[in-house]
Amino acid sequence: MYFTDDKTLQRFEREMKIVPNFERKEVWEFGDSCRDCKNYECKLEICMNAHCPYLKRKIRSNSIITRDLVETFLLDNPYIPFAHRVINMLAKYKGNKLFYNKAHKASFEAAMNEINDDDYDHIACVYVLTIRPDIWEHCVHTSQGYLCMSAELEQKDKVLVSFANDIYRSTTRLSLKEISFRRNISDKEFYYVCNAILIRRFGLAVIKKGA
């Protein structure tokens, strides 16, 4: 029952009874897919700024390539040698870079049969190790990560294993020093090391997999 007969005050009273933002619609709520969203054609950072809860859906779509992810999330890294290497990489980066080669893809997909899709750190760790299948085939899983039992392990291989285990242990700030040097990680391998850092954040969506 309205406390006054004044029509203007009645309108105010009705508005006071409405739950704030109850009828508000976010930009992504008008469609069932990213393509239906008005941000679909926009850069990934626009979706981030809108705090879209379906960001991984856009990453998995064909509208986003792995180059976009590297440019959006890794370009402004505070560790200068790493950031410079990303800049150099982007100068010749085209399209999607999902796996180093067929052997990387086969080793990774076989390993994924034993890993939960939600365990991003573990997935990213294994993705790094399988870049070099000759390392991966000698790796043993432990509670602290992976040990490579090969007697022929080179220094650059030790760097790769160490970085993978850094990811596995959910280290807050990854040590990027050794992977930023070409003597340890080749230019081609660097694409996929960057993918691993992104997988740690977004899971299998980075390599266009997952539901």
Side-chain angles (χ1 to χ4, degrees), residues 147-200:
L147 289 176
C148 184
M149 308 301 290
S150 173
E152 300 177 356
L153 211 61
E154 298 180 22
Q155 178 57 31
K156 66 175 186 177
D157 299 326
K158 293 178 181 177
V159 167
L160 194 75
V161 173
S162 176
F163 182 71
N165 285 325
D166 208 16
I167 292 174
Y168 182 88
R169 290 189 285 267
S170 307
T171 306
T172 303
R173 179 171 293 182
L174 293 174
S175 176
L176 302 175
K177 180 179 179 180
E178 295 301 329
I179 65 161
S180 298
F181 294 117
R182 287 181 174 83
R183 66 172 179 263
N184 298 322
I185 305 294
S186 70
D187 285 341
K188 185 178 178 182
E189 288 175 331
F190 191 69
Y191 291 129
Y192 307 98
V193 167
C194 287
N195 277 359
I197 296 172
L198 294 165
I199 289 170
R200 188 186 187 216

Side-chain angles (χ1 to χ4, degrees), residues 133-149:
D134 54 327
I135 290 180
W136 173 246
E137 66 182 16
H138 292 99
C139 281
V140 177
H141 187 205
T142 74
S143 60
Q144 293 300 309
Y146 285 84
L147 289 176
C148 184
M149 308 301 290

Side-chain angles (χ1 to χ4, degrees), residues 65-159:
I65 57 177
T66 46
R67 187 189 195 285
D68 298 326
L69 294 173
V70 171
E71 192 171 26
T72 303
F73 297 106
L74 301 182
L75 190 57
D76 60 349
N77 192 280
Y79 184 62
I80 302 302
F82 178 84
H84 282 177
R85 195 162 187 194
V86 170
I87 291 170
N88 292 335
M89 177 182 73
L90 288 173
K92 48 192 174 184
Y93 196 134
K94 295 180 180 179
N96 282 312
K97 305 285 187 185
L98 305 180
F99 294 96
Y100 184 83
N101 54 26
K102 290 181 180 179
H104 179 204
K105 186 174 187 291
S107 296
F108 175 76
E109 290 181 346
M112 276 303 299
N113 292 327
E114 306 297 326
I115 304 173
N116 191 307
D117 286 358
D118 295 329
D119 193 349
Y120 294 176
D121 293 324
H122 196 172
I123 293 170
C125 168
V126 170
Y127 183 87
V128 169
L129 293 172
T130 51
I131 291 173
R132 299 178 190 163
D134 54 327
I135 290 180
W136 173 246
E137 66 182 16
H138 292 99
C139 281
V140 177
H141 187 205
T142 74
S143 60
Q144 293 300 309
Y146 285 84
L147 289 176
C148 184
M149 308 301 290
S150 173
E152 300 177 356
L153 211 61
E154 298 180 22
Q155 178 57 31
K156 66 175 186 177
D157 299 326
K158 293 178 181 177
V159 167

